């Protein structure tokens, strides 16, 4: 059952002959179930396509919310500044008017004094003129600040409304995405169908072993397997590759190759010693699922899988949906029953 990476490559069988025995009905059923499980229905594909588009639209609306929130924050900061500037300008304008009043009163006082002090009157008139100029300047600044405040308030209201609208549109689109997610989940029966295949896997092994011939095998990416598992196995290798996991290894081997492997792995007796008594656990000839193409010893990057390898972790999460189960004592060994 177990095999090193180098032996896995060396024990792959030659290409099968054209003639083929009738694939057992249970194996046909298993293959049909796995094909259904791994092949989305047209309705599922339509909903998934729509969901992809809706998610893209949601991402766009999320960006618009972010932009609108930034604009609203900037507008609020500008409004805060405008309020403070307006208050300060109006305060200075009021103080300037009070200073003008005081200057005028001072001019009246010095003008009525006797004897008349011409220099004091001149100074008082200069103070009135300066105060009047200050009033005019502060009045302009107060009006400018008031106009800026009005604009800032309008901008703040506009950006707040825009943010509220952006959030409302995002929420609407988010609800739409959730609706399509629920529809997609409702249409996905892959796990249920794969479980049906798993439930008959032991019967598949029994029937395949009863009438197996080498002609019932085929090659998938250089690995020889039983024809009934070829579709699911190919999908597993291709999907693993799409996730950056390159899988290879050995599948079918003949009875003679199983005998030779028992000898290589130091089993005390070829026909009677239990698999665990070998240096590397190896099934008794006639009992290995490799001999009917229903088990594979997988490698990745030229090495047998270990529990710490990325390939093993990926298979642990994903292999069952392709009909493959790991033999706990051998991280590299995967079959349709886990045996």
């Amino acid at each position: 059952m177990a095999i090193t990476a180098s032996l896995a490559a060396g024990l792959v069988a030659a290409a099968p002959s054209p003639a083929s025995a009738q694939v057992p009905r249970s194996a046909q059923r298993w293959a049909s179930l796995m094909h259904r499980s791994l092949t989305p229905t047209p309705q599922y594909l339509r909903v998934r396509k729509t969901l992809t588009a809706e998610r893209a639209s949601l991402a766009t609306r999320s960006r618009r919310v972010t932009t609108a929130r930034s604009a609203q924050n900037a507008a609020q900061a500008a409004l805060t500044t405008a309020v403070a500037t307006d208050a300060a300008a109006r305060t200075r304008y009021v103080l300037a008017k009070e200073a003008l009043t005081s200057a005028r009163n001072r001019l009246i006082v010095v003008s009525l004094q006797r004897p008349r002090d011409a220099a004091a009157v001149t100074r008082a008139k200069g103070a009135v003129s300066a105060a009047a100029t200050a009033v005019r300047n502060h009045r302009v600044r107060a009006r400018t600040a008031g106009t800026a405040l009005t604009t800032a308030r309008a901008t703040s209201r506009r950006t707040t409304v825009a943010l509220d609208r952006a959030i409302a549109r995002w929420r609407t689109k988010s609800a739409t995405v959730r609706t399509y997610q629920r529809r997609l989940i409702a249409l996905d029966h892959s796990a249920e169908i794969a479980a049906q295949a798993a439930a008959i896997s032991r019967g598949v092994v029994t029937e395949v072993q009863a009438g197996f011939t080498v002609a019932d095998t085929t090659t998938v990416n250089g690995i020889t397997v039983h024809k009934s598992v070829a579709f699911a196995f190919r999908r597993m290798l291709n999907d693993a590759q799409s996730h950056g996991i390159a899988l290879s290894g050995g599948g079918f081997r003949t009875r003679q190759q199983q005998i030779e492997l028992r000898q290589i792995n130091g089993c005390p007796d070829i026909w009677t010693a239990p698999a665990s008594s070998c240096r590397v656990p190896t099934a008794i000839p006639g009992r290995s699922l490799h001999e009917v193409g229903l088990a594979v010893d997988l490698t990745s990057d030229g090495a047998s899988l270990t529990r710490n390898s990325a390939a093993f972790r990926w298979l642990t999460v994903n292999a069952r949906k392709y009909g493959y189960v790991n033999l706990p004592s051998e991280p590299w060994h995967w079959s349709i029953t886990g045996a």
Side-chain angles (χ1 to χ4, degrees):
M1 185 180 297
I3 187 167
T4 62
S6 60
L7 288 173
L11 293 179
V12 174
S17 61
S20 178
Q22 177 66 36
V23 176
R25 195 168 286 180
S26 63
Q28 294 179 35
R29 173 66 175 161
W30 189 95
S32 175
L33 286 169
M34 291 310 304
H35 190 277
R36 286 175 53 204
S37 172
L38 295 170
T39 306
T41 64
Q43 185 180 8
Y44 181 93
L45 291 175
R46 286 195 299 271
V47 173
R48 188 172 66 182
K49 181 178 180 180
T50 301
L51 177 58
T52 299
E54 292 294 341
R55 281 174 171 164
S57 179
L58 179 62
T60 298
R61 294 194 178 187
S62 295
R63 290 192 292 270
R64 288 175 181 171
V65 168
T66 299
T67 300
R69 181 170 284 114
S70 295
Q72 200 272 341
N73 288 340
Q76 188 60 42
L79 176 59
T80 299
T81 299
V83 168
T85 300
D86 176 72
R90 286 189 290 107
T91 298
R92 285 191 289 269
Y93 177 49
V94 169
L95 292 176
K97 289 195 295 182
E98 291 177 352
L100 176 58
T101 300
S102 296
R104 285 171 175 169
N105 290 337
R106 176 61 181 168
L107 176 59
I108 292 172
V109 169
V110 297
S111 296
L112 294 177
Q113 285 180 345
R114 295 291 182 270
R116 180 180 178 84
D117 187 340
V121 170
T122 299
R123 287 194 299 271
K125 288 180 178 181
V128 169
S129 178
T133 298
V135 167
R136 288 193 297 272
N137 290 339
H138 285 298
R139 181 168 58 244
V140 170
R141 290 168 186 162
R143 287 174 179 174
T144 300
T147 300
L149 176 59
T150 299
T151 301
R153 283 171 174 163
T155 300
S156 178
R157 286 193 297 269
R158 185 175 64 255
T159 56
T160 298
V161 170
L163 175 59
D164 289 343
R165 287 176 179 171
I167 291 174
R169 289 170 180 168
W170 177 87
R171 286 174 176 166
T172 299
K173 186 59 65 175
S174 181
T176 300
V177 167
R178 288 194 298 271
T179 296
Y180 278 102
Q181 285 175 331
R182 288 192 292 268
R183 290 182 186 176
L184 198 66
I185 291 171
L187 290 170
D188 183 7
H189 301 292
S190 58
E192 175 187 339
I193 299 171
Q196 294 174 23
I200 66 171
S201 60
R202 294 192 180 277
V204 172
V205 169
T206 300
E207 290 193 20
V208 167
Q209 286 176 328
F212 175 79
T213 71
V214 176
D216 293 328
T217 63
T218 188
T219 301
V220 176
N221 292 13
I223 303 173
T224 302
V225 296
H226 195 275
K227 289 180 179 179
S228 62
V229 302
F231 174 80
F233 185 61
R234 180 178 288 105
R235 280 290 302 274
M236 183 170 76
L237 297 188
N238 290 344
D239 289 352
Q241 183 68 53
S242 70
H243 287 86
I245 305 295
L247 295 175
S248 187
F252 169 73
R253 53 181 177 257
T254 65
R255 179 70 57 86
Q256 182 58 38
Q257 289 171 330
Q258 187 70 19
I259 292 172
E260 293 171 0
L261 186 59
R262 290 271 289 182
Q263 294 171 336
I264 291 170
N265 288 338
C267 303
D269 181 86
I270 298 299
W271 300 102
T272 61
S276 59
S277 67
C278 308
R279 285 195 301 269
V280 179
T282 310
I284 293 172
R287 298 184 186 179
S288 173
L289 296 189
H290 284 286
E291 294 178 54
V292 290
L294 295 178
V296 289
D297 285 340
L298 293 174
T299 64
S300 183
D301 297 325
S304 292
L305 303 192
T306 66
R307 297 192 181 282
N308 294 324
S309 63
F312 180 81
R313 291 195 296 270
W314 187 89
L315 287 165
T316 299
V317 173
N318 296 286
R320 281 186 182 274
K321 72 180 180 181
Y322 305 97
Y324 279 84
V325 184
N326 177 239
L327 178 65
S329 60
E330 301 176 9
W332 57 85
H333 182 89
W334 298 78
S335 68
I336 67 169
T337 62

